[in-house]
Amino acid sequence: MGEDGDAVEAVDRFLRSRGDFRSFSLIELSLSASKLRDRDVLSKMGRTEVVLNSLNPVWIQKLSITYRFEIVQPLVFQVYDIDTQFHNIPVKTLKLDEQQFLGEATCNLSEIVSRSSRSLTLNLDHRDGSRVDTKNSGEITINAEEAFAAKTILEIVFRCSELENRDLFSKSDPFLLISRTAESGARIPICKTEVRRNNLDPTWKPIILNLQQAGSKENPLTIECFNFNSNGKHDLIGKIVKSLSDLENLHRSQLGENLFLPTAVDHEYHNRVLKSQLFVERFSESTKRTFLDYIAGGCELNFMVAVDFTASNGNPRLPDSLHYIDPTGRPNAYHRAIMEVGDVLQFYDSDKRFSAWGFGARPIDGPVSHCFNLSGSTSHSEVRANPFGPVINAASTIASQSLAHNQQKYFILLIITDGVVTDLQETRDAIVKGSDLPLSILIVGVGGADFKEMEILDADKGERLQSTTGRAASRDIVQFVPMGDVESGELSIAQSLLAELPSQFLSYMQRKEILATS
């Protein structure tokens, strides 16, 4: 588990250095144990304090870990008996190989936070050579709490006046980047505004962040105003350093604060104060329910998958086919996508069963179908069409039926395909219809096809899909990822597909005014 604060901050810095501004929940784990073997004392866990002379200890020190929905986070809990001679030595400096090992337990963080009680009791396993004793080693109970700062939401509207012009033939295209300063002194970006084109007196859309991202209301934030350049080399127009409390006071006073610009003078940098000013037009603070609040309240995530069986996948008996089953056990692209996404989602579904469909084939000896139940049969004839509409409509029907029965379920449809959709307008219509339902759609492109047209379905660029009748999607529910892009990067398929899912889930709950039950 590492050194708690430093590890959490390191993960945060790593992600945000790559432009990932999604919020992550800080989880605090409280530990207790019971029925331990009769020894002096115990310890361990990234690490707790030592509890003296107790077979049923309750540790006071909590352990912090950053919860991330889109990955599986395995945890190992180890319990040690600390000899009396080491009682006055700081816990972090103890050499555990000099202490008596009492047992260990493993689980995934999702197993704890997905339970309504957010509590999990595990048997401690004790290895004695090749023998594992699970009966007499005791139990450990882990309780998880979401940090309150993750639920404190801030909405801020910024305005600037008299910005310096950095473009030759037009006005600057300004945007704001907000960063917090870590204990190490490094700056961690936490959010940014949109770009305002040709505007020296811009007012930006509201930015929304939680208190956890800022650290605290007193933590200094660096607010930098840049002139956008398409080559990625943005010009610094000016900056300011203020805490959230300072920004709140600026809002109350309705006064502006002058930006400054670090300027080199005789090989030294001085802050040149500018005429440009920053104003806080709106500053509001509220407490909102989080994704984990809904999960703890009994809401489940149901996984559904649709697999492309069209002829372009190739003959499944040949090694160059995308459906080829390698005798060495190496998973093909379809297997990988299903396993990676399913491994994450399984903890949020009590029965761990999911709907599975195929499209673009003749199931067994029936007619060509673009939505058939996968029965495990290897006998099918292939066709060349690649329609998504039927499987999205099938998923929507299930989501709609669940809604009609007041079930607390949210559905995730994974579509894996080797080609561009051929029924684009029907697919648009199905997605627009699905945007009103508890449904998110994940699409993975496998193989070497050109998937640029597929990006139309993913509204990350701000353009909402429209149906044949001109009705716009009520929210963004599609995430498209070409597997080739993922394989050449640092993120897994599941990370790329699932990182936005909690925000899509919350957008549905908030739009429908569905409250998390306690």
Side-chain angles (χ1 to χ4, degrees):
M1 296 262 298
E3 306 301 322
D4 303 336
D6 293 342
V8 170
E9 194 167 87
V11 170
D12 197 29
R13 188 184 310 122
F14 173 81
L15 293 165
R16 300 192 188 283
S17 70
R18 283 155 174 75
D20 198 331
F21 296 99
R22 288 178 288 270
S23 60
F24 307 98
S25 290
L26 185 66
I27 302 296
E28 294 179 333
L29 301 180
S30 303
L31 304 174
S32 62
S34 62
K35 305 174 186 176
L36 294 172
R37 294 186 172 199
D38 189 3
R39 298 289 187 270
D40 293 338
V41 277
L42 66 139
S43 172
K44 179 55 174 144
M45 264 303 304
R47 304 179 180 179
T48 67
E49 78 280 11
V50 173
V51 176
L52 300 175
N53 303 317
S54 176
L55 301 182
N56 300 285
V58 177
W59 289 277
I60 296 173
Q61 183 174 327
K62 297 182 178 181
L63 305 170
S64 298
I65 184 170
T66 300
Y67 164 75
R68 294 181 57 208
F69 167 78
E70 70 273 17
I71 61 174
V72 176
Q73 295 172 277
L75 305 176
V76 178
F77 301 90
Q78 295 179 324
V79 181
Y80 286 82
D81 172 40
I82 306 303
D83 196 270
T84 306
Q85 63 179 309
F86 298 106
H87 286 180
N88 295 322
I89 296 177
V91 172
K92 290 184 178 180
T93 63
L94 286 171
K95 295 181 179 179
L96 296 179
D97 56 1
E98 297 177 352
Q99 314 305 322
Q100 185 167 6
F101 176 64
L102 295 183
E104 74 175 25
T106 61
C107 69
N108 292 301
L109 182 59
S110 301
E111 292 180 76
I112 307 170
V113 299
S114 62
R115 299 169 70 92
S116 58
S117 63
R118 293 189 185 173
S119 178
L120 182 64
T121 298
L122 302 167
N123 288 326
L124 290 169
D125 294 338
H126 182 269
R127 287 190 175 275
D128 184 5
S130 60
R131 188 173 64 89
V132 178
D133 184 359
T134 60
K135 292 183 179 179
N136 303 313
S137 299
E139 298 174 336
I140 187 167
T141 298
I142 310 105
N143 292 289
E145 293 179 276
E146 193 172 11
F148 181 76
K151 304 182 181 186
T152 304
I153 306 299
L154 302 160
E155 183 174 329
I156 308 172
V157 174
F158 288 109
R159 174 173 68 88
C160 276
S161 66
E162 300 184 72
L163 292 176
E164 293 187 353
N165 192 18
R166 294 303 175 87
D167 287 342
L168 186 60
F169 299 109
S170 62
K171 296 178 182 178
S172 293
D173 305 320
F175 70 93
L176 298 179
L177 177 67
I178 302 173
S179 309
R180 69 176 171 88
T181 304
E183 291 182 9
S184 63
R187 284 214 306 269
I188 302 172
I190 58 175
C191 61
K192 62 182 176 181
T193 68
E194 79 281 11
V195 176
R196 285 298 190 193
R197 299 285 182 182
N198 295 314
N199 199 331
L200 300 181
D201 300 283
T203 299
W204 289 276
K205 293 179 182 178
I207 63 163
I208 297 174
L209 68 157
N210 62 45
L211 193 56
Q212 180 179 306
Q213 290 172 273
S216 74
K217 290 191 74 171
E218 308 306 323
N219 200 40
L221 301 177
T222 300
I223 304 173
E224 297 169 295
C225 184
F226 289 94
N227 175 39
F228 175 83
N229 286 312
S230 57
N231 62 7
K233 297 179 180 179
H234 311 306
D235 307 313
L236 180 63
I237 298 176
K239 62 192 291 187
I240 196 171
V241 179
K242 293 288 178 185
S243 67
L244 287 173
S245 293
D246 294 334
L247 295 175
E248 189 173 19
N249 290 333
L250 272 181
H251 171 63
R252 289 197 187 113
S253 70
Q254 291 297 296
L255 298 176
E257 187 80 15
N258 290 84
L259 302 181
F260 64 85
L261 191 65
T263 305
V265 178
D266 296 330
H267 304 291
E268 292 185 1
Y269 277 93
H270 298 274
N271 292 330
R272 177 168 65 91
V273 179
L274 309 174
K275 282 200 327 182
S276 309
Q277 287 193 314
L278 178 79
F279 296 83
V280 180
E281 297 290 282
R282 186 193 310 166
F283 188 101
S284 64
E285 181 177 331
S286 60
T287 301
K288 294 187 178 180
R289 291 294 189 180
T290 65
F291 171 74
L292 287 178
D293 285 330
Y294 285 93
I295 297 299
C299 191
E300 294 191 357
L301 304 182
N302 281 48
F303 180 38
M304 304 181 283
V305 63
V307 177
D308 182 348
F309 285 100
T310 53
S312 52
N313 283 277
N315 187 334
R317 297 180 181 84
L318 301 179
D320 61 351
S321 169
L322 293 170
H323 278 298
Y324 180 66
I325 299 177
D326 194 321
T328 66
R330 180 182 178 183
N332 61 41
Y334 287 93
H335 292 152
R336 283 181 52 204
I338 294 171
M339 287 190 297
E340 287 195 25
V341 175
D343 282 350
V344 172
L345 296 179
Q346 64 173 316
F347 301 109
Y348 304 91
D349 186 352
S350 59
D351 65 12
K352 294 179 172 52
R353 301 178 66 181
F354 60 90
S355 301
W357 299 296
F359 61 92
R362 291 188 176 92
I364 311 178
D365 295 320
V368 172
S369 174
H370 297 307
C371 184
F372 56 89
N373 293 326
L374 290 180
S375 63
S377 171
T378 58
S379 173
H380 65 267
S381 299
E382 299 169 326
V383 297
R384 295 191 178 277
N386 218 24
F388 288 179
V391 291
I392 295 175
N393 284 326
S396 294
T397 298
I398 293 175
S400 183
Q401 291 171 346
S402 172
L403 199 59
H405 289 87
N406 294 317
Q407 295 176 329
Q408 288 187 301
K409 293 185 177 182
Y410 190 90
F411 297 85
I412 297 99
L413 170 63
L414 172 64
I415 300 175
I416 316 168
T417 180
D418 80 321
V420 176
V421 61
T422 56
D423 61 338
L424 185 58
Q425 192 54 59
E426 183 184 352
T427 299
R428 283 173 179 258
D429 292 344
I431 291 171
V432 171
K433 176 184 175 183
S435 68
D436 287 330
L437 297 169
L439 175 68
S440 286
I441 301 169
L442 316 174
I443 305 175
V444 179
V446 298
D450 183 355
F451 292 107
K452 287 183 180 179
E453 289 184 27
M454 301 285 283
E455 295 175 2
I456 298 172
L457 305 178
D458 190 336
D460 280 350
K461 296 180 180 178
E463 297 179 4
R464 290 283 173 89
L465 286 180
Q466 289 192 341
S467 68
T468 307
T469 61
R471 177 172 170 257
S474 60
R475 60 194 182 93
D476 176 19
I477 65 170
V478 176
Q479 183 71 14
F480 170 69
V481 175
M483 185 173 281
D485 291 358
V486 175
E487 289 173 337
S488 61
E490 296 174 335
L491 300 180
S492 69
I493 301 167
Q495 285 174 277
S496 301
L497 286 171
L498 296 174
E500 291 185 13
L501 199 139
S503 62
Q504 291 182 358
F505 173 96
L506 287 172
S507 72
Y508 173 79
M509 296 299 176
Q510 292 162 6
R511 180 173 290 273
K512 298 295 183 179
E513 298 182 344
I514 300 172
L515 301 178
T517 56
S518 301

